[in-house]
Amino acid sequence: MAIGDGADMYQLGADATTYAMTELGFEKGDVNVLALTNAGYPVIDGQTTDLCLDAVMEVSGCTPGKENLVNILTPPWKPLWFGFFNKNTGEAVYMKVNGDASGFEIQDKEKIDAETVLAKVDAWEPGNFSGMIRFANVWAHENTPFVLMKAAQLHDHICPGLISGFMLAKYVEKDLPIEDPANQSYKVIACPNSCKDDYFQIAWDCTPGKSGLFVKSLTASESSGLKEKYGAGISGIFIRWDGSSNAGDGLVLGGNSSSSSSSTNETASWPEWATKLNGALLRMDSADTPENYVTTIKEFHLESREELQALQSAGVHPLKVLGVM
């Protein structure tokens, strides 16, 4: 794939950033400004877009080290876009590059901070900012660690489901902390699978390729039956595995439905964008108290690698093996 031929990708990224700096009134290095882009992933007429990302960092000063650059994973055939959010003013700009990378198909500006938009849910639509609004407001939340934004880069959006993964991880880290980093690691059996599971791949390096994450679905009747039995929806199976002793301690966890519902009489009629934004921020309010959203269904101990494999292998139902159903 070409780097130097065709459109000037560096200049395209620089133009997007300069436009944002003018419209949002910030200077290079402002840590209260978030830059979001999928630059580096789209390929336009055989040309990579990585130089756009270089330009965003060099012109704006937004970097991963300052925790204010989010580089979102997308397939190579998706359009190239840029977004910037100024936490001080609540204003944001969004730019979508046209098909031949000669300029911008969309350049838009809007005030998207949660306080502003949730005060007018009946009269406002996110429009071009539907993909940015939760990124911006969750990033701006005082309880948000940057690892959550890194997980959102993989997940390509922030939602209450991904944040549930963050809450589950915090709960496990409190209850089953890693005490021997040289030998211990987490294993996740995502049963059922959902948005939450992308968090563990980033935060714990639990990936399918390294046998850290196994995915098994539940039927609708199984999910409803388990929720009726335990008063909470099943969220997955989490194991602290010790490779030196070939043993592990595990938890079957569920969602605390009484706390996880963000719907009230006021919000029940809100549009989807508003309920998801509100739900995400409510979860971040409880970042230090994951037990508000997570409950233990069962604790268990594994004595051997064979017992671990009995939960992970194809054709077995891990919740039945553990006696949960």
Side-chain angles (χ1 to χ4, degrees):
M1 293 181 182
I3 294 179
D5 299 334
D8 187 336
M9 292 298 177
Y10 185 92
Q11 189 60 50
L12 189 65
D15 289 346
T17 307
T18 300
Y19 171 80
M21 295 173 76
T22 300
E23 291 295 317
L24 300 182
F26 70 92
E27 297 182 353
K28 180 178 180 178
D30 191 334
V31 296
N32 291 305
V33 171
L34 172 67
L36 305 108
T37 181
N38 66 341
Y41 294 108
V43 176
I44 302 174
D45 293 333
Q47 190 173 355
T48 60
T49 55
D50 300 87
L51 287 174
C52 294
L53 189 60
D54 282 0
V56 169
M57 290 190 287
E58 291 172 9
V59 176
S60 72
C62 296
T63 67
K66 296 189 188 75
E67 300 188 347
N68 64 345
L69 174 70
V70 175
N71 188 205
I72 299 162
L73 173 66
T74 57
W77 55 84
K78 290 289 187 178
L80 173 63
W81 64 271
F82 304 88
F84 292 82
F85 172 72
N86 189 332
K87 183 166 62 173
N88 289 331
T89 65
E91 292 181 323
V93 294
Y94 170 81
M95 292 149 280
K96 178 182 175 183
V97 175
N98 58 25
D100 62 2
S102 61
F104 300 101
E105 178 181 323
I106 297 172
Q107 287 181 301
D108 200 0
K109 180 180 178 181
E110 184 66 88
K111 192 170 172 64
I112 65 168
D113 62 285
E115 182 178 1
T116 297
V117 299
L118 292 179
K120 52 180 181 180
V121 292
D122 295 328
W124 190 80
E125 289 291 339
N128 291 323
F129 295 90
S130 59
M132 280 185 61
I133 188 169
R134 291 194 299 275
F135 266 114
N137 284 286
V138 171
W139 170 78
H141 196 290
E142 62 182 358
N143 290 340
T144 300
F146 198 61
V147 66
L148 177 56
M149 304 307 293
K150 291 179 180 179
Q153 291 180 147
L154 170 67
H155 195 56
D156 92 10
H157 67 277
I158 289 183
C159 59
L162 183 68
I163 297 174
S164 293
F166 163 68
M167 304 296 279
L168 287 159
K170 294 270 285 188
Y171 187 93
V172 172
E173 289 165 1
K174 282 186 175 183
D175 212 49
L176 293 175
I178 297 295
E179 298 167 331
D180 180 5
N183 294 298
Q184 291 179 335
S185 62
Y186 291 122
K187 305 286 187 183
V188 178
I189 301 174
C191 183
N193 61 300
S194 69
C195 298
K196 61 182 168 53
D197 302 310
D198 280 351
Y199 182 81
F200 313 124
Q201 297 185 67
I202 297 299
W204 290 347
D205 193 28
C206 286
T207 68
K210 294 190 284 287
S211 298
L213 175 67
F214 289 78
V215 175
K216 296 172 181 282
S217 63
L218 291 177
T219 66
S221 61
E222 286 175 331
S223 294
S224 60
L226 286 164
K227 188 170 185 179
E228 182 177 353
K229 180 177 181 179
Y230 294 104
I234 298 295
S235 297
I237 301 167
F238 301 85
I239 300 161
R240 181 184 61 191
W241 182 253
D242 191 311
S244 62
S245 62
N246 281 326
D249 295 299
L251 300 168
V252 180
L253 298 181
N256 189 337
S257 57
S258 62
S259 295
S260 61
S261 174
S262 59
S263 178
T264 65
N265 290 336
E266 178 188 2
T267 64
S269 61
W270 280 8
E272 183 180 17
W273 70 262
T275 57
K276 285 188 174 181
L277 174 59
N278 188 55
L281 295 177
L282 285 174
R283 282 165 173 78
M284 294 315 303
D285 288 342
S286 294
D288 293 328
T289 52
E291 59 274 12
N292 288 349
Y293 285 88
V294 182
T295 187
T296 297
I297 302 295
K298 182 171 185 174
E299 300 178 2
F300 61 93
H301 180 73
L302 301 176
E303 294 284 356
S304 66
R305 184 169 293 277
E306 288 72 25
E307 289 187 4
L308 174 64
Q309 291 172 341
L311 299 175
Q312 298 171 329
S313 299
V316 300
H317 199 313
L319 295 176
K320 290 182 178 179
V321 173
L322 291 170
V324 174
M325 61 179 297

